[in-house]
Amino acid sequence: MMKQVIIMRTDLKLSKGKTAAQACHASLESYKKADLQNIKTWEKEGVKKVILKVETEKELHELHSLVKQTSLPVSLIIDAGHTEIPSGTITCLGIGPGNDEEIDKITGHLKLLN
């Protein structure tokens, strides 16, 4: 099974709309880096996405470093600063689409964003 995971920082206290926009950026940017066969499989399986949370930028960087050691597509999102937060703020991380088990080895300990 395949999925994509988006990991959001909660310390930024973003509005729901800003959170949704940043998650979309992460989803698209990570998707663009994915292997074509993985994209096809993911789409065939229903395009599963899971949104998780971390409390700090440091945690996001640590996860980014771990994912970069794999073959999973990954995208760290840096905001342009047009609305709620300063330019250059790192907001979230997109991982996958990729194998559920491979992603879970890195993100399985994280909680769902509520």
Side-chain angles (χ1 to χ4, degrees):
M1 296 292 292
M2 305 281 284
K3 70 179 169 186
Q4 184 180 60
V5 170
I6 310 301
I7 305 167
M8 300 296 307
R9 283 178 58 189
T10 58
D11 60 319
L12 295 173
K13 310 282 189 230
L14 302 175
S15 68
K16 289 179 183 178
K18 183 68 170 180
T19 299
Q22 295 301 297
C24 288
H25 289 314
S27 178
L28 282 172
E29 291 303 314
S30 186
Y31 172 89
K32 289 178 191 177
K33 296 177 180 179
D35 173 81
L36 184 58
Q37 185 57 51
N38 283 347
I39 289 172
K40 287 180 180 182
T41 302
W42 182 56
E43 289 174 344
K44 184 178 178 184
E45 292 178 357
V47 198
K48 178 180 175 183
K49 292 175 209 69
V50 179
I51 313 296
L52 304 172
K53 64 182 177 180
V54 294
E55 294 181 13
T56 67
E57 181 179 340
K58 181 180 181 213
E59 289 175 274
L60 211 55
H61 280 295
E62 289 169 355
L63 291 165
H64 185 232
S65 293
L66 290 173
V67 178
K68 284 177 26 178
Q69 296 173 29
T70 72
S71 62
L72 292 166
V74 62
S75 186
L76 190 66
I77 302 304
I78 302 170
D79 193 68
H82 298 301
T83 57
E84 299 178 16
I85 52 180
S87 176
T89 302
I90 295 169
T91 59
C92 58
L93 184 69
I95 305 170
N99 178 279
D100 282 7
E101 291 177 8
E102 190 176 0
I103 293 174
D104 287 346
K105 286 178 187 174
I106 298 167
T107 65
H109 66 287
L110 299 175
K111 294 185 178 183
L112 292 171
L113 180 69
N114 49 1

